[in-house]
Amino acid sequence: MPTSLYVSDEVRALAPGFAHLAVEAHGLTNGPSDASSAALLDEATRRLAERLDGRAPQDDPHLAAWRAAYTAFGAKPSRTRNSAEALARRALADGGLPRINRLVDLYNAISVAHLVPVGGEDLDRIQGGMRLVRAAGDEPFATAAGGAEVIEHPDAGEVVWCDDEGVTCRRWNWRQGVRTRLTEDSVSALFLLERMAPMPLDDLMAAGEELAEALQKSCPGARVEIGGIRTA
């Protein structure tokens, strides 16, 4: 049964150009980054450089729209960048993209190649459905500091993804929590691809289809389902 996803009216009003696409996968096999996942990241970086053609990531119209959305709920987009812009900047820097694990490398590659925020959640750790809301400010957010897990709280009015236990991702797609992140033991996952106008909806679906294809290739035998695009 697909995971329930809900976008609040407050978020819809804040960003009428928002849409998201879910890709759900079961029977996955994960593990440390390897030559195949590294090759995906390198190819994504090549595609990004070709797309930008010398421009800075924030000058891409899609990422500029994300910056406007962040500004609308009070975030400073030059300090807390949306995940696609943050990854793009890392891809173009001398150190290149980080290697995390095979599944994370895979969805990071899709994010960079298509300049679209993509998040991956361990379905077995999600409590109830997923909701995109403006935070009250008292919701728990499990993160890491100094090698230890700590609980933080979002700012009041901040856009967050959450489940029945607390916040899973702060500032829309800026920072994922540790509770639901994909680890090398993860076998089921929910991937969320998020778009702002002017990115065409067909391009969002193309990114989702490429993600599903890559998952099937990386994890033969996995069951991968692409949901319908949900617009705000």
Side-chain angles (χ1 to χ4, degrees):
M1 182 177 179
T3 303
S4 172
L5 298 171
Y6 167 78
V7 179
S8 73
D9 289 341
E10 287 184 313
V11 174
R12 293 174 186 273
L14 179 74
F18 174 67
H20 68 277
L21 173 67
V23 177
E24 196 164 304
H26 301 269
L28 297 169
T29 53
N30 200 8
S33 301
D34 57 17
S36 295
S37 66
L40 287 174
L41 292 170
D42 290 342
E43 172 62 12
T45 299
R46 185 198 65 76
R47 290 167 64 181
L48 171 68
E50 183 177 275
R51 172 176 176 153
L52 291 176
D53 192 25
R55 293 176 298 155
Q58 64 267 24
D59 293 333
D60 180 88
H62 186 221
L63 296 190
W66 272 106
R67 283 191 161 221
Y70 269 48
T71 300
F73 70 81
K76 295 181 179 179
S78 292
R79 294 182 57 187
T80 54
R81 297 181 175 89
N82 71 83
S83 64
E85 181 180 336
L87 276 176
R89 289 170 63 90
R90 293 194 71 172
L92 298 174
D94 290 342
L97 288 165
R99 274 57 171 163
I100 309 298
N101 59 55
R102 289 202 305 268
L103 288 178
V104 175
D105 292 352
L106 192 156
Y107 79 73
N108 279 348
I110 297 298
S111 176
V112 168
H114 291 268
L115 268 187
V116 59
V118 183
E121 306 284 354
D122 189 321
L123 270 174
D124 294 326
R125 295 178 178 273
I126 293 174
Q127 304 299 314
M130 297 280 292
R131 302 181 298 279
L132 185 66
V133 300
R134 300 198 72 171
D138 57 356
E139 301 90 340
F141 174 71
T143 187
E149 184 173 316
V150 297
I151 300 297
E152 296 180 351
H153 302 280
D155 299 327
E158 182 181 322
V159 176
V160 297
W161 278 102
C162 60
D163 65 2
D164 291 349
E165 190 169 322
V167 173
T168 59
C169 195
R170 285 195 60 186
R171 293 178 189 164
W172 217 312
N173 48 48
W174 166 63
R175 177 177 292 170
Q176 184 184 31
V178 298
R179 175 170 57 86
T180 59
R181 66 184 174 185
L182 293 174
T183 70
E184 293 180 17
D185 297 324
S186 298
V187 295
S188 297
L190 172 68
F191 300 94
L192 286 172
L193 295 82
E194 301 181 289
R195 160 268 196 194
M196 289 286 176
M199 180 182 185
L201 295 177
D202 286 348
D203 288 359
L204 180 63
M205 180 58 75
E209 290 173 344
E210 185 175 338
L211 172 61
E213 182 180 347
L215 287 167
Q216 292 281 191
K217 184 176 181 180
S218 177
C219 308
R223 177 167 57 89
V224 182
E225 301 177 6
I226 304 176
I229 292 175
R230 298 182 62 179
T231 62

